[in-house]
Amino acid sequence: MSSYQVPGIDALIDDSLVGLTMTMGAYLVGLLSSLPAYNSDRQYMAPMLLFAFRIDIQCSLMLGSSIEAGVPTIFVGWGEDPQVLANCAPQLFSKIASMYPQVVTGV
């Protein structure tokens, strides 16, 4: 049996990719928002550049942590009782059911 045929392994891979994507996005936001630290002579001030980079990365990671916490919450809720998700969020349930039809067989 291949590792991609084990139920739930694709959900774990998706969860891992969410964290990686959010981290790389935070670095990109930090880089792009620290670029205006150049002065009028088109020279940068290194302390200002590093400070802006660090602050923007921290803000992006803080905002992204709620998304990273929500993904496992949905997976655990789905594993415990998928009918609750079907009642509370029918659009999300139908989207997940179309992506993972083998999981919905008992619901």
Side-chain angles (χ1 to χ4, degrees):
M1 181 179 235
S2 172
S3 65
Y4 290 111
Q5 294 175 345
V6 175
I9 195 71
D10 50 353
L12 289 173
I13 292 171
D14 290 345
D15 185 35
S16 177
L17 289 177
V18 167
L20 179 66
T21 304
M22 295 303 293
T23 303
M24 296 313 274
Y27 281 112
L28 182 66
V29 165
L31 178 68
L32 292 177
S33 59
S34 65
L35 289 179
Y38 288 98
N39 60 14
S40 61
D41 296 333
R42 305 298 289 169
Q43 297 175 353
Y44 67 92
M45 298 181 294
M48 181 64 91
L49 182 79
L50 293 174
F51 182 73
F53 182 73
R54 175 153 171 92
I55 292 296
D56 293 328
I57 282 180
Q58 291 299 319
C59 290
S60 297
L61 287 174
M62 183 181 65
L63 292 173
S65 67
S66 62
I67 295 172
E68 288 185 42
V71 171
T73 302
I74 290 173
F75 287 143
V76 168
W78 182 273
E80 291 292 324
D81 191 9
Q83 193 60 40
V84 173
L85 185 63
N87 293 337
C88 294
Q91 291 176 343
L92 179 62
F93 180 81
S94 64
K95 189 169 186 174
I96 293 174
S98 68
M99 299 277 299
Y100 304 107
Q102 71 274 13
V103 179
V104 189
T105 56
V107 177

